[in-house]
Amino acid sequence: MQDTAVNNTKIERVLTNINNVMVGKHKEATLSLVALLAQGHVLLEDVPGVGKTMLVRTLAKSLDCDFRRIQFTPDLLPADVTGVSIYNPKDMEFEFRAGPILGNIVLADEINRTSPKTQSALLEAMEEKNVTVDGNTIPLKKPFFVMATQNPIEYEGTYPLPEAQLDRFILKMRLGYPSAEQELHMLDLTSKDHPIESLGAVMKREELLSIQEEVKDVYIDQNVQTYIIKLVTNTRDHQSIYLGVSPRGSIALMKAAKAYAYIHGRDYVLPDDVKYLAPYVLAHRMILTAEAKYEGHSGEQIIESVVANTQVPIRKEFPS
């Protein structure tokens, strides 16, 4: 527990670092760390200019990680993401030139603006943790974390991610507009130099990898696991849901709950952790019925109703 307490202090420093740049986004910063520590990836869906890119850059600088950005456009090719082999006439052999996917923290900006073929190159790398170029398998760096963004307003000329690909992201979230007071504070912070320019690393990559392994050992009671299964099963029988959450969603919710518990200094998962994370982890993994969409319901609202109508497990004894 001593190591956990030390690591928790380091996590708090990372969150403080992010909060020094991202005003009023403590919840979103925490969720980003949840995904990172659970070795998952994040889909950020929001309008331009609310700080999506800045959040990823701040996270990378705080963790002393290699940051790469991929600006997705209609003419982007899979090789532009994964890399390509180039013939070197001096050595008379092909050399692999790594693409931007071979970074630690990767920003996939406006992922829905590129073709499904290029999208699949990124999503395959996210799932397999390696890329294949000219028959050669190249492992990705560790840690490896992708935060993809998409604009929910402009759909002309875009390629929406199918549900099978949305399922690859451990959670989906939005940043939203700041309040008037928060925006005024942002103006004060950026009136001269941007605060990210003076930001320093507060955690090493090796420490992050160690914490990711420790998160796997966070205890989750079988009753809490059963609670997760009940939540997921209820989405499959819900009258407003055409296609419910798959077993991959159950696993993602369990991993996210472990990371969330670790961030809060616990080595065990509470049902409240699952309840809090359920809308972020499950809402984008299902398809609503046409009637639900017509009535203006969102996936998050329906998951919240599923959580409200699912009994929370209660157990008096605790593991020694």
Side-chain angles (χ1 to χ4, degrees):
M1 283 299 294
Q2 185 176 0
D3 290 341
T4 302
V6 171
N7 288 335
N8 189 251
T9 301
K10 294 176 182 176
I11 290 172
E12 287 297 327
R13 290 175 182 169
V14 174
L15 291 173
T16 300
N17 239 23
I18 298 175
N19 292 331
N20 288 337
V21 177
M22 303 293 298
V23 179
K25 301 300 178 185
H26 182 77
K27 179 183 72 174
E28 290 78 8
T30 302
L31 289 171
S32 299
L33 272 182
V34 165
L36 177 59
L37 297 186
Q39 300 185 44
H41 308 282
V42 175
L43 179 62
L44 265 175
E45 185 178 74
D46 219 322
V47 297
V50 293
K52 300 186 295 293
T53 302
M54 194 58 59
L55 174 60
V56 190
R57 286 184 60 198
T58 305
L59 186 62
K61 291 197 72 172
S62 299
L63 299 172
D64 191 27
C65 286
D66 183 19
F67 171 72
R68 303 289 181 89
R69 173 176 177 167
I70 310 173
Q71 184 65 50
F72 282 86
T73 56
D75 60 346
L76 195 73
L77 299 175
D80 297 326
V81 175
T82 60
V84 65
S85 293
I86 299 176
Y87 182 72
N88 186 340
K90 181 179 179 180
D91 298 330
M92 300 182 65
E93 60 182 19
F94 285 91
E95 294 180 351
F96 174 67
R97 298 292 177 87
I101 195 65
L102 273 83
N104 294 127
I105 295 182
V106 179
L107 170 63
D109 208 8
E110 296 189 294
I111 188 176
N112 58 331
R113 291 201 175 278
T114 196
S115 67
K117 186 176 182 179
T118 306
Q119 290 176 358
S120 65
L122 171 70
L123 294 162
E124 181 182 0
M126 289 164 50
E127 184 69 16
E128 304 297 334
K129 301 294 190 294
N130 57 57
V131 295
T132 302
V133 179
D134 295 333
N136 298 318
T137 300
I138 299 101
L140 300 179
K141 292 182 179 181
K142 293 182 179 181
F144 175 64
F145 175 64
V146 173
M147 187 172 284
T149 71
Q150 63 179 6
N151 186 345
I153 305 300
E154 299 177 4
Y155 286 109
E156 185 176 354
T158 63
Y159 304 86
L161 292 174
E163 280 67 25
Q165 293 182 347
L166 283 172
D167 210 24
R168 305 291 182 182
F169 294 95
I170 194 170
L171 59 86
K172 177 183 175 184
M173 65 179 183
R174 299 177 176 86
L175 290 179
Y177 287 118
S179 65
E181 292 79 11
Q182 291 169 348
E183 197 159 0
L184 180 61
H185 185 35
M186 289 170 57
L187 295 182
D188 289 335
L189 285 176
T190 57
S191 60
K192 295 182 180 179
D193 293 331
H194 199 284
I196 196 173
E197 302 301 330
S198 58
L199 207 65
V202 293
M203 184 186 294
K204 297 179 180 178
R205 277 175 285 184
E206 294 75 15
E207 293 172 330
L208 174 58
L209 290 171
S210 176
I211 291 175
Q212 286 181 330
E213 291 301 315
E214 288 188 17
V215 166
K216 296 178 182 179
D217 295 329
V218 171
Y219 177 79
I220 179 166
D221 191 83
Q222 190 171 13
N223 282 344
V224 180
Q225 291 178 328
T226 302
Y227 178 54
I228 292 174
I229 299 302
K230 286 182 179 179
L231 289 175
V232 171
T233 302
N234 288 344
T235 67
R236 300 168 189 166
D237 302 325
H238 199 282
Q239 61 181 3
S240 297
I241 301 175
Y242 174 73
L243 182 66
V245 178
S246 70
R248 184 183 290 152
S250 306
I251 297 171
L253 185 53
M254 178 186 68
K255 289 181 176 179
K258 284 186 173 187
Y260 187 79
Y262 190 95
I263 288 173
H264 288 83
R266 287 182 275 108
D267 60 354
Y268 57 90
V269 175
L270 295 174
D272 283 346
D273 301 333
V274 176
K275 289 175 63 177
Y276 176 76
L277 292 169
Y280 301 104
V281 178
L282 303 182
H284 64 285
R285 300 174 185 271
M286 58 192 193
I287 302 176
L288 305 186
T289 62
E291 292 80 3
K293 293 179 182 177
Y294 179 77
E295 292 172 0
H297 296 303
S298 67
E300 290 82 2
Q301 291 172 335
I302 292 176
I303 289 297
E304 287 173 357
S305 71
V306 168
V307 170
N309 292 290
T310 303
Q311 185 176 0
V312 179
I314 300 175
R315 183 175 178 179
K316 293 182 179 179
E317 66 272 19
F318 296 92
S320 58

